[in-house]
Each structure stands twice: as structure tokens, then as C-alpha cells.
Amino acid sequence: MIDERMVLYDLTPLTGRKASADRTVVIMTWDVNYLLARVLLLSLLPAVLLGAIAYPLLHSYAVFVVLATEALFTVVFYARSSTGLQLRVWRRLWNKSRANLGRVYLRNVPVGTGAPAIVMLTQASVPNPHIPDITDGEVFGPTPAAPDPEPVALRPAPPRRVGQVDHDWYAGAT
């Protein structure tokens, strides 16, 4: 019997990986994305500081410095890159600054630019043309001589049953 009062809740949209992307905050009757609200609020302090620094020079035009700073912080900390893994812009810049592009490490030690350049890598299986007389016996030692194993005699297969045997357990079952 099925209980008609049973209710099934799906908590994946509330607790899953992308749950924070869908969270909103109500600010003066507007639904604003939670992360966007945090970015705008946290970027307000540096924007006001830059506006205060620019005020003696620009007077009322310092408002544009505040708006430009807010826009810059919003793009850097909220927007995603359009290519690749579509990471946040600040994360992509952080990864790029730590990528060690153009540097060569040997055993976790950076190799300086004065190191000789790598000219060509060759296959390891190409024989050395200067020493053509080396044999496997000289490299690996003599091959141990083992006698050939005795052949094993096989038993013949049992004869094939073609009829039904009377003493089988399934003979009398119908």
C-alpha cells in the first residue's frame, strides 16, 4: 500500500555543486545574485578610497572613478573567462601568474639560461654506430643453458555420452 501523504524532496539544487550560483539576496525589492552582491559590497571600500584620492583633482567627476573601480572589480571578481575552463577572471590571472611559463625545472630546481640548449632528442633503441661489436651476451651475461622440458603425455578425452543413463537423478522426473 502506498502512503499518499509521502513527499519526496530533492535537495540537490540547494546543496549541490552549483547551488551557490543560484542563491539570491533581496536588496530594496531587487533579487541580486549572492556572489554579485558580495563583490559589489566588498569592492565599495577600494572604490570610495580611490574616489577620495581623485576628488581633489577631479571634484565631482571623481564619481566616475568610483563607478569605474566598481566596474573593474566586478569584472575581475565576478565575470568568467569565455574560453577554457571558464574560470573566474581573478582565478585565471592568479593561475597565469603562477604558471612558470618559459622556465625549465630539473628535479624541482630551475635551470638557468646559461644551460646548453637541447638540440635533438633521439630514440633510445637506435644502436650506437661507434660500437657495433657488442652482443647481448656481453651486456647481459651468458644465457643459462637449460635442457628442453620433457613432453607431457595427454590423456585421451572420455567417450561422449549419447544416451540417457537410468541412474541419473533427473531420469525419473517428469
mmCIF file of all heavy atoms in Angstrom, residues 16 21 25 28-29 37 56 63 65 86 91 100 105 147 149-150 157 164-165 167 169-170:
data_model
loop_
_atom_site.group_PDB
_atom_site.id
_atom_site.type_symbol
_atom_site.label_atom_id
_atom_site.label_comp_id
_atom_site.label_asym_id
_atom_site.label_seq_id
_atom_site.Cartn_x
_atom_site.Cartn_y
_atom_site.Cartn_z
ATOM 1 N N GLY A 16 23.966 21.171 -3.952
ATOM 2 C CA GLY A 16 24.879 20.638 -4.958
ATOM 3 C C GLY A 16 26.016 21.581 -5.287
ATOM 4 O O GLY A 16 26.194 22.643 -4.676
ATOM 5 N N ALA A 21 25.590 29.332 -7.137
ATOM 6 C CA ALA A 21 25.375 30.179 -8.313
ATOM 7 C C ALA A 21 23.926 30.638 -8.412
ATOM 8 O O ALA A 21 23.639 31.668 -9.021
ATOM 9 C CB ALA A 21 25.778 29.430 -9.569
ATOM 10 N N VAL A 25 19.928 37.394 -3.124
ATOM 11 C CA VAL A 25 19.731 38.257 -1.964
ATOM 12 C C VAL A 25 18.762 39.354 -2.409
ATOM 13 O O VAL A 25 18.870 39.871 -3.528
ATOM 14 C CB VAL A 25 21.070 38.877 -1.512
ATOM 15 C CG1 VAL A 25 20.856 39.864 -0.401
ATOM 16 C CG2 VAL A 25 22.026 37.806 -1.082
ATOM 17 N N MET A 28 16.479 46.000 -1.562
ATOM 18 C CA MET A 28 15.493 47.027 -1.924
ATOM 19 C C MET A 28 14.566 46.530 -3.037
ATOM 20 O O MET A 28 14.435 47.162 -4.078
ATOM 21 C CB MET A 28 16.188 48.311 -2.337
ATOM 22 C CG MET A 28 16.996 48.922 -1.211
ATOM 23 S SD MET A 28 17.744 50.486 -1.643
ATOM 24 C CE MET A 28 16.294 51.472 -1.796
ATOM 25 N N THR A 29 13.944 45.407 -2.829
ATOM 26 C CA THR A 29 12.975 44.744 -3.720
ATOM 27 C C THR A 29 13.592 44.178 -4.987
ATOM 28 O O THR A 29 12.879 43.752 -5.884
ATOM 29 C CB THR A 29 11.803 45.686 -4.114
ATOM 30 O OG1 THR A 29 12.301 46.711 -4.977
ATOM 31 C CG2 THR A 29 11.141 46.283 -2.883
ATOM 32 N N ALA A 37 26.343 40.452 -5.159
ATOM 33 C CA ALA A 37 26.133 41.396 -4.053
ATOM 34 C C ALA A 37 27.367 41.485 -3.173
ATOM 35 O O ALA A 37 27.762 42.581 -2.737
ATOM 36 C CB ALA A 37 24.916 40.962 -3.234
ATOM 37 N N PRO A 56 40.310 65.652 -4.997
ATOM 38 C CA PRO A 56 40.980 66.966 -5.107
ATOM 39 C C PRO A 56 41.355 67.326 -6.542
ATOM 40 O O PRO A 56 41.431 68.507 -6.887
ATOM 41 C CB PRO A 56 42.233 66.810 -4.251
ATOM 42 C CG PRO A 56 41.918 65.711 -3.319
ATOM 43 C CD PRO A 56 40.995 64.797 -4.048
ATOM 44 N N VAL A 63 33.225 60.799 -9.115
ATOM 45 C CA VAL A 63 32.189 59.751 -9.106
ATOM 46 C C VAL A 63 32.465 58.743 -10.204
ATOM 47 O O VAL A 63 32.236 57.538 -10.035
ATOM 48 C CB VAL A 63 30.785 60.400 -9.272
ATOM 49 C CG1 VAL A 63 29.729 59.346 -9.479
ATOM 50 C CG2 VAL A 63 30.479 61.265 -8.082
ATOM 51 N N VAL A 65 35.375 57.824 -11.238
ATOM 52 C CA VAL A 65 36.446 56.947 -10.749
ATOM 53 C C VAL A 65 35.855 55.853 -9.870
ATOM 54 O O VAL A 65 36.232 54.683 -9.969
ATOM 55 C CB VAL A 65 37.510 57.773 -9.984
ATOM 56 C CG1 VAL A 65 38.536 56.858 -9.335
ATOM 57 C CG2 VAL A 65 38.165 58.768 -10.907
ATOM 58 N N GLN A 86 36.446 28.258 -18.224
ATOM 59 C CA GLN A 86 35.536 29.326 -17.839
ATOM 60 C C GLN A 86 35.625 29.621 -16.338
ATOM 61 O O GLN A 86 34.637 29.689 -15.621
ATOM 62 C CB GLN A 86 34.107 28.989 -18.251
ATOM 63 C CG GLN A 86 33.963 28.892 -19.742
ATOM 64 C CD GLN A 86 32.563 28.562 -20.193
ATOM 65 O OE1 GLN A 86 31.718 28.208 -19.382
ATOM 66 N NE2 GLN A 86 32.321 28.692 -21.473
ATOM 67 N N ARG A 91 40.768 34.157 -10.843
ATOM 68 C CA ARG A 91 41.402 32.844 -10.705
ATOM 69 C C ARG A 91 42.292 32.555 -11.908
ATOM 70 O O ARG A 91 43.374 31.993 -11.784
ATOM 71 C CB ARG A 91 40.317 31.775 -10.550
ATOM 72 C CG ARG A 91 40.835 30.363 -10.511
ATOM 73 C CD ARG A 91 41.818 30.107 -9.401
ATOM 74 N NE ARG A 91 41.143 29.989 -8.142
ATOM 75 C CZ ARG A 91 41.768 29.802 -6.997
ATOM 76 N NH1 ARG A 91 43.079 29.729 -6.957
ATOM 77 N NH2 ARG A 91 41.104 29.717 -5.880
ATOM 78 N N ASN A 100 54.708 29.494 -14.292
ATOM 79 C CA ASN A 100 56.109 29.243 -14.609
ATOM 80 C C ASN A 100 56.325 29.022 -16.109
ATOM 81 O O ASN A 100 57.057 28.128 -16.516
ATOM 82 C CB ASN A 100 56.653 28.037 -13.828
ATOM 83 C CG ASN A 100 56.682 28.277 -12.350
ATOM 84 O OD1 ASN A 100 56.905 29.408 -11.926
ATOM 85 N ND2 ASN A 100 56.440 27.259 -11.566
ATOM 86 N N TYR A 105 62.444 23.383 -15.218
ATOM 87 C CA TYR A 105 62.818 22.867 -13.905
ATOM 88 C C TYR A 105 63.394 21.468 -14.069
ATOM 89 O O TYR A 105 62.860 20.650 -14.815
ATOM 90 C CB TYR A 105 61.608 22.810 -12.979
ATOM 91 C CG TYR A 105 61.185 24.167 -12.476
ATOM 92 C CD1 TYR A 105 60.345 24.974 -13.220
ATOM 93 C CD2 TYR A 105 61.639 24.632 -11.258
ATOM 94 C CE1 TYR A 105 59.964 26.217 -12.764
ATOM 95 C CE2 TYR A 105 61.262 25.885 -10.792
ATOM 96 C CZ TYR A 105 60.429 26.663 -11.546
ATOM 97 O OH TYR A 105 60.065 27.882 -11.090
ATOM 98 N N PRO A 147 68.014 -27.678 -20.114
ATOM 99 C CA PRO A 147 67.586 -28.760 -21.002
ATOM 100 C C PRO A 147 66.136 -28.549 -21.435
ATOM 101 O O PRO A 147 65.345 -27.911 -20.745
ATOM 102 C CB PRO A 147 67.730 -30.015 -20.137
ATOM 103 C CG PRO A 147 67.648 -29.511 -18.736
ATOM 104 C CD PRO A 147 68.230 -28.126 -18.756
ATOM 105 N N PRO A 149 62.375 -29.244 -21.837
ATOM 106 C CA PRO A 149 61.483 -29.998 -20.952
ATOM 107 C C PRO A 149 60.936 -31.242 -21.653
ATOM 108 O O PRO A 149 60.780 -31.275 -22.872
ATOM 109 C CB PRO A 149 60.358 -28.995 -20.650
ATOM 110 C CG PRO A 149 60.394 -28.020 -21.785
ATOM 111 C CD PRO A 149 61.816 -27.964 -22.238
ATOM 112 N N GLU A 150 60.688 -32.252 -20.818
ATOM 113 C CA GLU A 150 60.129 -33.494 -21.354
ATOM 114 C C GLU A 150 58.710 -33.234 -21.844
ATOM 115 O O GLU A 150 57.953 -32.509 -21.204
ATOM 116 C CB GLU A 150 60.101 -34.567 -20.257
ATOM 117 C CG GLU A 150 61.475 -35.016 -19.792
ATOM 118 C CD GLU A 150 62.190 -35.808 -20.881
ATOM 119 O OE1 GLU A 150 61.515 -36.530 -21.638
ATOM 120 O OE2 GLU A 150 63.417 -35.660 -20.976
ATOM 121 N N ALA A 157 40.407 -37.961 -24.197
ATOM 122 C CA ALA A 157 39.144 -37.484 -23.663
ATOM 123 C C ALA A 157 38.207 -38.658 -23.409
ATOM 124 O O ALA A 157 38.264 -39.666 -24.112
ATOM 125 C CB ALA A 157 38.508 -36.519 -24.650
ATOM 126 N N GLN A 164 20.583 -41.621 -22.513
ATOM 127 C CA GLN A 164 20.228 -41.221 -21.156
ATOM 128 C C GLN A 164 20.505 -42.377 -20.227
ATOM 129 O O GLN A 164 20.087 -43.503 -20.474
ATOM 130 C CB GLN A 164 18.756 -40.825 -21.088
ATOM 131 C CG GLN A 164 18.367 -40.279 -19.746
ATOM 132 C CD GLN A 164 16.942 -39.772 -19.739
ATOM 133 O OE1 GLN A 164 16.229 -39.902 -20.721
ATOM 134 N NE2 GLN A 164 16.534 -39.225 -18.628
ATOM 135 N N VAL A 165 21.191 -42.117 -19.134
ATOM 136 C CA VAL A 165 21.547 -43.147 -18.176
ATOM 137 C C VAL A 165 20.394 -43.297 -17.199
ATOM 138 O O VAL A 165 19.788 -42.310 -16.766
ATOM 139 C CB VAL A 165 22.842 -42.771 -17.441
ATOM 140 C CG1 VAL A 165 23.257 -43.857 -16.477
ATOM 141 C CG2 VAL A 165 23.953 -42.522 -18.451
ATOM 142 N N HIS A 167 20.391 -44.271 -14.016
ATOM 143 C CA HIS A 167 20.599 -43.940 -12.619
ATOM 144 C C HIS A 167 20.841 -42.452 -12.387
ATOM 145 O O HIS A 167 21.194 -42.056 -11.299
ATOM 146 C CB HIS A 167 21.759 -44.775 -12.045
ATOM 147 C CG HIS A 167 23.077 -44.449 -12.684
ATOM 148 N ND1 HIS A 167 23.484 -45.049 -13.845
ATOM 149 C CD2 HIS A 167 24.061 -43.586 -12.337
ATOM 150 C CE1 HIS A 167 24.684 -44.600 -14.201
ATOM 151 N NE2 HIS A 167 25.052 -43.706 -13.286
ATOM 152 N N TRP A 169 19.845 -38.573 -11.591
ATOM 153 C CA TRP A 169 18.829 -38.045 -10.692
ATOM 154 C C TRP A 169 17.649 -37.435 -11.442
ATOM 155 O O TRP A 169 16.565 -37.360 -10.946
ATOM 156 C CB TRP A 169 19.426 -37.025 -9.742
ATOM 157 C CG TRP A 169 19.965 -35.808 -10.436
ATOM 158 C CD1 TRP A 169 21.214 -35.639 -10.938
ATOM 159 C CD2 TRP A 169 19.261 -34.605 -10.727
ATOM 160 N NE1 TRP A 169 21.345 -34.429 -11.523
ATOM 161 C CE2 TRP A 169 20.148 -33.753 -11.407
ATOM 162 C CE3 TRP A 169 17.956 -34.165 -10.472
ATOM 163 C CZ2 TRP A 169 19.782 -32.507 -11.849
ATOM 164 C CZ3 TRP A 169 17.615 -32.916 -10.910
ATOM 165 C CH2 TRP A 169 18.523 -32.086 -11.607
ATOM 166 N N TYR A 170 17.888 -37.007 -12.679
ATOM 167 C CA TYR A 170 16.806 -36.371 -13.419
ATOM 168 C C TYR A 170 16.059 -37.340 -14.319
ATOM 169 O O TYR A 170 15.131 -36.942 -15.028
ATOM 170 C CB TYR A 170 17.363 -35.222 -14.271
ATOM 171 C CG TYR A 170 18.417 -35.647 -15.267
ATOM 172 C CD1 TYR A 170 18.063 -36.124 -16.507
ATOM 173 C CD2 TYR A 170 19.763 -35.572 -14.940
ATOM 174 C CE1 TYR A 170 19.035 -36.518 -17.399
ATOM 175 C CE2 TYR A 170 20.726 -35.944 -15.829
ATOM 176 C CZ TYR A 170 20.363 -36.438 -17.068
ATOM 177 O OH TYR A 170 21.315 -36.822 -17.946
#
